[in-house]
């Protein structure tokens, strides 16, 4: 199981467009066989910050996700809107355990 969070900081003038593009990407991503969770969160105190919480069955599912048309379209659209590079962190599940996903 692959669990990661990705934090992105978006230029203020692109927040609405980022949300729109991200909703489309999330709706398609969650349909992928190897995607277990794909949550999108916006900073309450810092509305230009976003965190994705993603859970994949395995590394193969991550690789397949990054080759989908919807991910490529999303990535090409939103990358110019970043205020700084995205921050990725990988995690191990403690509670709930991996078997509970």
């Amino acid at each position: 199981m692959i669990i990661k969070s990705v934090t992105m900081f978006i230029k203020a003038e692109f927040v609405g467009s980022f949300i729109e593009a991200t909703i489309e990407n999330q709706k398609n991503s969650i349909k992928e066989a190897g995607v277990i969770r794909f949550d999108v969160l916006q900073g309450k105190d810092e509305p230009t910050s976003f965190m994705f919480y993603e859970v994949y069955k395995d590394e193969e599912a991550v690789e397949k996700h990054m080759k989908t048309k919807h991910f490529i379209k999303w990535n090409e659209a939103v990358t110019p809107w970043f205020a700084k590079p995205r921050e990725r962190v990988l995690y191990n599940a403690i509670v709930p355990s991996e078997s509970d996903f």
Side-chain angles (χ1 to χ4, degrees):
M1 178 173 296
I2 307 295
I3 303 170
K4 66 178 176 173
S5 72
V6 183
T7 302
M8 291 157 271
F9 297 90
I10 305 303
K11 296 172 187 171
E13 63 269 26
F14 296 111
V15 166
S17 298
F18 179 82
I19 291 171
E20 184 178 318
T22 298
I23 289 171
E24 179 183 341
N25 181 55
Q26 190 275 346
K27 285 181 180 179
N28 287 300
S29 297
I30 202 68
K31 294 176 187 175
E32 297 172 43
V35 176
I36 298 168
R37 288 192 71 96
F38 199 104
D39 299 348
V40 178
L41 307 168
Q42 183 178 22
K44 191 170 191 166
D45 295 329
E46 191 174 346
T48 59
S49 71
F50 293 84
M51 195 270 284
F52 291 11
Y53 175 77
E54 305 171 31
V55 181
Y56 298 88
K57 180 179 175 186
D58 51 30
E59 189 62 44
E60 182 181 355
V62 174
E63 291 172 16
K64 284 183 179 180
H65 169 69
M66 295 180 74
K67 293 177 182 175
T68 61
K69 288 181 184 179
H70 60 269
F71 173 80
I72 293 168
K73 176 182 175 184
W74 173 85
N75 193 50
E76 289 175 354
V78 304
T79 298
W81 304 338
F82 291 165
K84 62 181 185 177
R86 44 190 134 187
E87 301 168 1
R88 293 184 180 105
V89 179
L90 297 176
Y91 296 92
N92 293 315
I94 305 297
V95 177
S97 69
E98 288 189 13
S99 63
D100 293 327
F101 278 90

